[in-house]
Amino acid sequence: MSDDATESSEEADSTAREMHAEDDPYVLQGPQPHPFWAESVAEKILDRDPDDPIVIKGGISPSGVPHLGNMNEIVRGYFVAEALRDRGREVRQVFTADDRDPLRKLPRKLADLDGNVVDLGDVNAGALGRNLGKPYTAIPDPFECCDSYGEHFSNLIERSAELLGIPVEMVSNTELYESGEFEELTEYLLDNQQKAREVLGHYQDKVDEDYVPFNPICEECGKITETVTSVDTEAGTVEYVCTDMEAGDKTIEGCGHEGTATFREGKLPWRFEWPAQWEVLGVDHEPFGKDHAEGSWPSGSDVARNVFEIEPPVPMAYEWFTLDGEPFSSSSGHVIMVQDTLEMLEPEVLRYFFTKDPSKARDFSVEHLDQLVDEFDAFERAYFGEESGETDEEIAAAAYPPVVRPTIAARFETDGTPIADPETGSVPVADADRETYDEVIDETFHSRVRLPYTFAAVLGMTDDPDLREAIARREGHLAEEPEWAVEMALSRVERAREWARRTGNEFDYELKRTEMPYVDLDADTEAALDELADFVENHDDPDEIQGEIYETAKRHDIDIGEFFSVGYRLFFDDDQGPKLGPFLAKLDKQFVLARLRREE
RNA sequence: GGGCCGGUAGCUCAGUUAGGGAGAGCGUCUGACUCUUAAUCAGACGGUCAGGGGUUCAAAUCCCUUCCGGCCCGCCA
């Protein structure tokens, strides 16, 4: 005979409960055995003698645009996984799409599979609104490209991981329910409701004797409902009434239907579902946001130990990112996705961002992206022993290989032969190839070159690849590097240019080739420009032209700065730009002459 | 209201585990290169380490307290 929900007499007890010593989620506080946090976490995991494969999990509900902050769930785990693999262990990184969760409110912004953010109004918002309260996997995909809303956004998350070359096994929570993976634990929970209520009651006042740790899906309207009237674990079913559900300050109306659901036709409440996932998937480690740290983690680890009687994973609470100083917000569209950042950064730079201390909040500043790149370049030099500066070489030694390995795998064969046209920027590295790729890093990749990011942005002023390379060589940033290194160095130009374009900063200039920008000239300046044109007509040397700009200005008693500004206005419609002499020397002469003479 | 995490130069941050000299990069300013143009190089300016109190020979670091920000204590991940 199963428990009858109404017979429970246990009162909710909200007094604080002592946490198990190993369950403090702030694992990075206090003395750490290693300079790189991921190695310290890895050691904590190994202290428990886990069997191979070690399972590291992350997970979010696929409710909308997966932004950079959400990627903590995957990338933090990746660095721990890599530290474990460095110690010879086999690791599975899994990611649960918590896609049986109900849609509680309509996001204002969505994203298509390519990562383009669109307004809710651009898709069929009305159709979406009728699906409030239903599991994400039971809602049609508003973009009509995937089987469901949930699958659409799970695909986006998976795509983000792929772009970073992080091997992740995606697990659909809905599929776990449908295939019966949670059946045994659900039955156990419903057979031991007393215990479940007793433990959760320490954390949630609403847990009373009527509380049943299972939420069926209404067979009539398809919504998740919370009112279970009786339980029959022998038959594996519950009876329910489809009542209203509170979601934030709104109420999602139930249809009033009374029905019967199996354990596969519903879901566990989150506080039980999370620990159930640990058991079903054998999770050894899970990072989670600071929002969980004081909420569902304490109750979850308690439920694991004292209801399911399993050991919860090694936790790690991470602080959240902000984006240009403001919190990420999927619903309002203040987000940046992996896809966006990779238009401005090499993937290794983005991975590098996640090697920083997870216990500190961090701003992902698009405006100051050049600083992040400069920092990465120093980090890379520290790894190769090229910099005797402040950068921590111990951290670089531990963190750099996992940061670049997916890049190396995308660009080189295992024997170090460069791949001519890499299809993607990052490729997951098979365990068997790790050591050989590490040799490629040390023996081949050490001759890579990085153009300083802002310099790369300056080169973005011209579309001409040869001109870009010529200027980079002239300024001493390229020498006798192998072809792959030159190609890779110059690939930063497009990214830096995209950064300049997006931020509209001082590097955001482009050659105005087709139309002459408007510029107000006095007679002296016009005469000076004509003279300069005559000079350029007969001279090709960059330095001579640069010098002549000064000379011409002096001869006509024009302020040097103003004369340069006129030049920039004429060519870029801006008041600043690249070093003008070498630039004019490299451009096609006819265009330069015509423009200096204001002929087009 | 209770709990947790954070607050170091204009900006981004390191340093807090095991107390001992307050740091880096960027920005700013000045100078130099008989040529301001991501210039480069050199130098300078810049912080009562959020405030206050305590312990100590010594505190950014340890303790107490106040303030500010974020999160949790409803739901949800």
Side-chain angles (χ1 to χ4, degrees), chain A residues 543-563:
Chain A
D543 291 329
E544 285 183 27
I545 294 176
Q546 178 77 5
E548 182 62 15
I549 296 173
Y550 283 85
E551 295 305 318
T552 312
K554 279 185 204 160
R555 280 201 300 276
H556 291 270
D557 206 22
I558 303 167
D559 179 79
I560 303 252
E562 279 174 29
F563 194 52

Side-chain angles (χ1 to χ4, degrees), chain A residues 525-578:
Chain A
T525 309
E526 294 203 334
L529 285 172
D530 287 336
E531 269 185 42
L532 183 60
D534 293 342
F535 184 89
V536 171
E537 193 162 21
N538 300 305
H539 295 79
D540 295 312
D541 185 78
D543 291 329
E544 285 183 27
I545 294 176
Q546 178 77 5
E548 182 62 15
I549 296 173
Y550 283 85
E551 295 305 318
T552 312
K554 279 185 204 160
R555 280 201 300 276
H556 291 270
D557 206 22
I558 303 167
D559 179 79
I560 303 252
E562 279 174 29
F563 194 52
F564 270 103
S565 290
V566 167
Y568 293 124
R569 187 60 61 191
L570 230 31
F571 286 91
F572 301 104
D573 197 15
D574 206 333
D575 50 18
Q576 51 186 340

Side-chain angles (χ1 to χ4, degrees), chain A residues 147-208:
Chain A
D147 285 349
S148 70
Y149 184 102
E151 198 188 310
H152 179 95
F153 288 104
S154 296
N155 282 342
L156 262 179
I157 298 164
E158 185 173 18
R159 178 92 185 108
S160 298
E162 276 172 9
L163 285 169
L164 291 175
I166 297 177
V168 175
E169 296 173 38
M170 297 293 287
V171 173
S172 159
N173 219 29
T174 295
E175 279 174 28
L176 291 181
Y177 280 107
E178 287 178 348
S179 63
E181 295 279 346
F182 285 128
E183 243 172 358
E184 205 178 310
L185 283 169
T186 304
E187 185 183 330
Y188 175 85
L189 257 187
L190 294 175
D191 274 337
N192 295 276
Q193 291 186 54
Q194 200 77 293
K195 187 154 63 166
R197 288 188 200 109
E198 200 272 317
V199 171
L200 191 60
H202 288 288
Y203 304 92
Q204 296 191 334
D205 290 339
K206 73 155 192 179
V207 176
D208 57 19

Side-chain angles (χ1 to χ4, degrees), chain A residues 372-402:
Chain A
L372 176 65
V373 179
D374 287 349
E375 214 181 296
F376 167 81
D377 290 350
F379 166 75
E380 185 173 59
R381 288 193 299 272
Y383 174 79
F384 287 116
E386 300 163 357
E387 185 152 286
S388 56
E390 306 294 317
T391 311
D392 195 321
E393 288 178 25
E394 282 185 282
I395 292 181
Y400 182 72

